[in-house]
Amino acid sequence: MQCFIHESAVVDSGALIGANSKIWHFCHIFASAEIGSDCVIGQNCMIGNNVKIGSNVRIQNNVSIFEGVVVQDNVFIGPSVVFTNVKNPRAFISRKNAFAQTLLKQGCSIGANATLVCGVSIGMYAFIGAGSVVSRDIPDFALALGNPARVVGYVDKAGDRMEFDSNNQAIDSFDKSVYELRGNKVVCIG
């Protein structure tokens, strides 16, 4: 029950990496970072201080996750996704005490080259399309696209688009859960 760390990766003393996780080429994991079990951190990634990453998370190549970001279990982060942690950065003003928390909830997916402005929350099983710019919270199961990202529909746990019937209900293609659309909120009803 060990993790794999490629010889070119730098893992600072104190970093916690869970069992069966893999850290690939040219990564840097900072001292107070926590990575759960069964994660894959792709080539050329940086996991900053105080970053918490759950279990079974997939982070593709060229992603820097800065302090202030929390990633729950089963999250997918595509190649070259961009995170920020200060809303109004200036090179000549230190704002390290002003990091805004960004939360990626259970099972969500962030497409390649998306940008997440700090302080947003991405809902459970939500799907952010490639290249989107997220500047506000995205609800559970939402499919959000564009710049700025807007909700254009809803997806199930498998990432398939939900089709709601005349009773505003849909069945999950992954586990057959039943959902109901109430306004702009998807609620599991069975």
Side-chain angles (χ1 to χ4, degrees):
M1 299 275 292
Q2 296 181 355
C3 60
F4 168 81
I5 300 171
H6 189 270
E7 63 186 22
S8 67
V10 175
V11 178
D12 293 343
S13 179
L16 299 176
I17 301 172
N20 300 316
S21 287
K22 293 179 176 67
I23 311 297
W24 286 103
H25 306 72
F26 312 115
C27 290
H28 186 183
I29 313 300
F30 282 59
S32 58
E34 294 181 20
I35 299 170
S37 61
D38 301 302
C39 292
V40 177
I41 311 297
Q43 177 177 300
N44 196 39
C45 291
M46 185 280 293
I47 310 298
N49 277 320
N50 302 312
V51 171
K52 309 262 187 276
I53 295 174
S55 293
N56 199 42
V57 171
R58 302 293 181 262
I59 302 172
Q60 302 298 301
N61 297 349
N62 305 312
V63 176
S64 293
I65 301 182
F66 302 107
E67 185 169 349
V69 177
V70 176
V71 180
Q72 294 182 348
D73 295 344
N74 301 309
V75 168
F76 176 87
I77 300 171
S80 302
V81 166
V82 175
F83 292 91
T84 65
N85 62 0
V86 175
K87 289 201 183 269
N88 56 343
R90 292 288 195 207
F92 57 92
I93 300 172
S94 177
R95 294 202 164 118
K96 291 181 180 177
N97 61 349
F99 292 158
Q101 184 183 41
T102 299
L103 175 62
L104 277 62
K105 293 184 181 177
Q106 162 92 20
C108 70
S109 292
I110 314 299
N113 292 307
T115 298
L116 280 69
V117 176
C118 61
V120 299
S121 176
I122 308 299
M124 292 189 311
Y125 303 103
F127 199 108
I128 306 302
S132 297
V133 177
V134 181
S135 58
R136 60 182 164 222
D137 291 350
I138 303 298
D140 295 348
F141 299 99
L143 172 61
L145 307 173
N147 180 5
R150 290 183 177 17
V151 175
V152 298
Y154 297 92
V155 295
D156 61 17
K157 289 177 185 166
D160 295 327
R161 199 151 187 171
M162 285 193 217
E163 299 297 332
F164 292 93
D165 64 19
S166 60
N167 295 319
N168 283 335
Q169 294 182 356
I171 297 174
D172 195 307
S173 67
F174 179 72
D175 64 6
K176 305 305 181 205
S177 295
V178 179
Y179 301 103
E180 186 171 273
L181 182 61
R182 298 177 184 167
N184 64 349
K185 186 175 183 178
V186 174
V187 178
C188 185
I189 60 171

